[in-house]
């Protein structure tokens, strides 16, 4: 690699899921940090459904990626050079970075990666970065599930969903997961401890929820935004039911409006709550989520899968698997090895 | 009237808004209270959009009215006979009663009507019963608007909406109301102090909100559930925007599902909240709402209109005006005079 920096730049705005020729792979010289800046070496980058949203022209919960800018991602990186009093070479950082080998930054948006105990390095992005805390606060802070309540989870075998279901079980809830294949259903009920799993591609979600949620639904963790599934949940929602909106993947690649659920009136009847959240809104809860999750992993109560893509050049192709639902577990791109970490 | 009791009974479940022949007007002898029971003489009954929901077979936030049962309503009544140690003849009560002259009850669901100061008797239902506290808690407790924020209100000239808008103004907000006639728009901006009013029948709500909410929308008070209006609001919702769901009148008479808003994904992007509520969930706030509203009325800051129907026999016909939007102000049926009250 020498002193060259491989990177993916966003050169035009995609329409739908057709972002392949909007992201261009190339090489440039590695940058040099100025005063109070650092150079981070990116080790692992996280691929997330929301990455597609960031490519749009309009701002979302964060500013849109500028045209010509390097594609963005959550990263685990190591400080390679430092001209900042706040960072030392060798610090392992977690932050809001880019699809490239090296990034020059003033350190804003970066912080020390948490202590992940004996977990493998990939767990930084697999459980301890965005994914785990998202599941944790989205379920516990937005839904506040009580022991004995029924929790429903969409994309329940996904990186976030699989943790949501397990955390709900740890909290003493009945948990029903919705996913897209029988293999995932089996994994959820056999390995993760879900009480029931629904394959939305082969079953009526409405009927299956009616069967698997005999006491109605108290909490729902939504990541898809499919009107049929939401209507099934809304119809069976209990009084004071809480719906946590983590994502809305069904429209991230949409090119025309898609009609929403027709059953929102039930939010009035049941005094229900539907609330969007981003883990970044709960900074004071992140440390607690790390502590709890590390303990649960050590106790064998929390399992997770990681799907590592071995080269930065495969990032675009890998991103598609998120929308196709073919990845298994948290999707990560390994950018480069670090000799310090072995 | 002698010892006869006029009453409306629900004899079959309506489909759509066609409830005329489901409610049958008749006379029966006035009941006699047993031990620990009272006989209340109903003076005013309240007609509300949700009355139609109560006629359905399924329970809503309250149990469905049983077939053959007397139609239900919020009432202001006076104790005519008492065999209960808790009530004295002449007590003015507010409660969950029926469309009839007299009702025998054990007093459950009834409480002393609040002190309404110098306001006319109709204000018991016009401002101080369900309507005022609904506007008060639905805006202040569910949305928690801050000074300088922008609040949007649907059915903004209605019994609840007109109070919501005025309370938001009292709290220092910019207030934009949506309604269905130019006459109501004029009333809202000229008399009630709204910053802007939108006639959804003649204007694009999307464009009008864009014009009248230059800083976006922080709070929205929803009573209709129209997907187009909700989408306009969702698109222009600010970060951490709050949507209070008071009602969903667009579907109360619907005979088939109506597609919901397509813009719910924006609840995720903006970390918005959409929450249904019923004033009954805030019992501890009712007294405060009465105190504040009485003060605001005395100070000339809170205005309200009452539309009184003079005879119980006209109740069904009057109920239709709620869905047609032709009533002006809170719709009340005066059941009978009371000599004690003059």
């Amino acid at each position: 690699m020498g002193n060259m920096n491989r990177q993916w730049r966003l050169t035009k705005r995609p329409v739908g899921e057709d972002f392949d020729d909007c992201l261009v792979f190339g090489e440039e010289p590695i940058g040099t940090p100025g005063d109070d800046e650092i150079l981070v070496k990116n080790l692992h980058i996280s691929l997330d459904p929301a990455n597609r949203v960031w490519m749009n022209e309009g701002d979302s919960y964060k500013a849109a990626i500028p045209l010509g800018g390097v594609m963005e991602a959550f990263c685990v990186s190591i400080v390679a050079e430092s001209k900042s009093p706040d960072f030392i070479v060798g610090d392992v950082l977690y932050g809001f970075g880019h699809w490239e080998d090296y990034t020059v930054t003033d350190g804003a948006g970066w912080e020390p990666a948490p202590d992940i105990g004996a977990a493998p390095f990939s767990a930084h992005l697999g459980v301890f970065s965005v994914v785990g805390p998202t599941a944790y606060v989205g379920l516990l802070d937005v839904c506040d599930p009580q022991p004995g309540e029924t929790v429903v989870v969409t994309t329940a075998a996904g990186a976030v969903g699989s943790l949501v279901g397990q955390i709900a079980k740890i909290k003493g809830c009945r948990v029903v997961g919705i996913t897209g294949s029988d293999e995932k259903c089996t994994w959820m009920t056999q390995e993760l401890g879900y009480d029931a799993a629904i394959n939305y591609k082969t079953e009526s979600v409405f009927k299956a929820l009616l069967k698997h949620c005999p006491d109605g639904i108290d909490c729902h963790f939504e990541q898809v935004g499919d009107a049929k599934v939401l209507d099934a949940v809304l119809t069976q929602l209990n009084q004071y039911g809480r719906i946590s909106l983590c994502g809305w993947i069904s429209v991230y690649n949409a090119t025309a409006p898609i009609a929403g659920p027709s059953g929102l009136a039930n939010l009035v009847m049941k005094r229900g709550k539907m609330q969007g959240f981003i883990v970044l809104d709960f900074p004071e809860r992140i440390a607690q989520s790390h502590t709890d999750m590390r303990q649960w992993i050590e106790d064998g109560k929390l399992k997770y899968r990681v799907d590592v893509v071995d080269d930065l050049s495969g990032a675009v192709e890998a991103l598609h698997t998120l929308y196709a639902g073919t990845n298994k577990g948290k999707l990560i791109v390994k950018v480069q090895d670090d000799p310090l970490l072995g």
Side-chain angles (χ1 to χ4, degrees), chain A:
Chain A
M1 244 174 304
N3 60 350
M4 293 305 280
N5 187 29
R6 300 174 306 159
Q7 56 192 192
W8 283 99
R9 286 191 183 271
L10 183 70
T11 55
K12 61 179 181 176
R13 302 287 176 200
V15 175
E17 200 186 321
D18 184 19
F19 48 71
D20 294 68
D21 64 345
C22 300
L23 291 159
V24 174
F25 195 58
E27 282 194 347
E28 295 180 11
I30 295 170
T32 306
D35 286 347
D36 294 322
E37 289 186 330
I38 56 176
L39 179 73
V40 295
K41 177 179 181 178
N42 301 314
L43 304 180
H44 280 167
I45 70 174
S46 172
L47 297 189
D48 298 283
N51 294 161
R52 170 64 187 81
V53 178
W54 306 348
M55 299 180 204
N56 290 335
E57 187 171 1
D59 296 343
S60 58
Y61 55 89
K62 69 174 265 325
I65 298 169
L67 270 192
V70 181
M71 181 62 196
E72 298 175 8
F74 296 104
C75 300
V76 172
S77 308
I78 193 162
V79 179
E81 273 186 66
S82 176
K83 292 190 176 170
S84 161
D86 300 330
F87 299 93
I88 294 169
V89 170
D91 280 352
V92 179
L93 303 185
Y94 168 71
F96 201 65
H98 297 84
W99 290 21
E100 59 186 349
D101 288 312
Y102 290 89
T103 304
V104 173
T105 169
D106 62 4
W110 292 85
E111 54 190 48
D115 176 5
I116 61 171
F121 192 75
S122 60
H124 273 297
L125 294 180
V127 181
F128 290 96
S129 73
V130 167
V131 172
T134 291
Y136 186 96
V137 303
L139 179 68
L140 300 184
D141 293 76
V142 179
C143 282
D144 191 23
Q146 301 301 307
E149 287 193 332
T150 296
V151 175
V152 173
V153 186
T154 60
T155 60
V160 172
S162 62
L163 299 177
V164 169
Q166 293 178 86
I167 295 171
K169 284 304 299 176
I170 289 168
K171 294 295 180 181
C173 299
R174 176 176 182 77
V175 183
V176 179
I178 303 172
T179 189
S181 81
D182 289 342
E183 183 253 327
K184 288 178 181 177
C185 285
T186 302
W187 182 59
M188 282 152 49
T189 52
Q190 302 291 312
E191 300 289 324
L192 303 185
Y194 280 69
D195 296 284
I198 299 169
N199 181 345
Y200 74 88
K201 289 184 180 167
T202 58
E203 295 176 80
S204 152
V205 173
F206 183 90
K207 288 182 190 169
L209 284 176
L210 210 54
K211 175 179 158 196
H212 296 306
C213 306
D215 300 321
I217 297 166
D218 301 292
C219 302
H220 175 66
F221 194 94
E222 180 60 47
Q223 303 191 85
V224 180
D226 179 90
K228 255 187 151 170
V229 171
L230 272 166
D231 273 331
V233 169
L234 285 164
T235 304
Q236 299 174 46
L237 195 70
N238 285 337
Q239 220 170 65
Y240 306 116
R242 294 134 269 156
I243 298 177
S244 178
L245 305 180
C246 177
W248 211 267
I249 199 172
S250 64
V251 302
Y252 293 172
N253 294 305
T255 52
I258 297 169
S262 58
L264 288 172
N266 224 29
L267 280 185
V268 186
M269 299 307 152
K270 299 299 172 59
R271 297 100 126 169
K273 183 183 80 165
M274 188 180 255
Q275 186 168 358
F277 77 97
I278 306 281
V279 64
L280 306 174
D281 292 340
F282 299 83
E284 76 291 354
R285 293 279 287 158
I286 308 288
Q288 185 63 47
S289 78
H290 290 150
T291 303
D292 284 351
M293 289 191 303
R294 208 173 65 192
Q295 188 65 51
W296 293 332
I297 290 171
E298 283 175 22
D299 295 346
K301 290 180 182 170
L302 197 66
K303 297 172 184 170
Y304 62 95
R305 294 201 291 203
V306 176
D307 196 353
V308 179
V309 175
D310 260 333
D311 196 275
L312 183 61
S313 64
V316 168
E317 192 185 336
L319 190 58
H320 282 292
T321 68
L322 285 178
Y323 307 110
T326 50
N327 61 303
K328 289 194 174 175
K330 179 68 192 89
L331 190 60
I332 292 171
V333 176
K334 184 175 180 180
V335 184
Q336 31 185 346
D337 284 320
D338 190 85
L340 292 176
L341 299 166

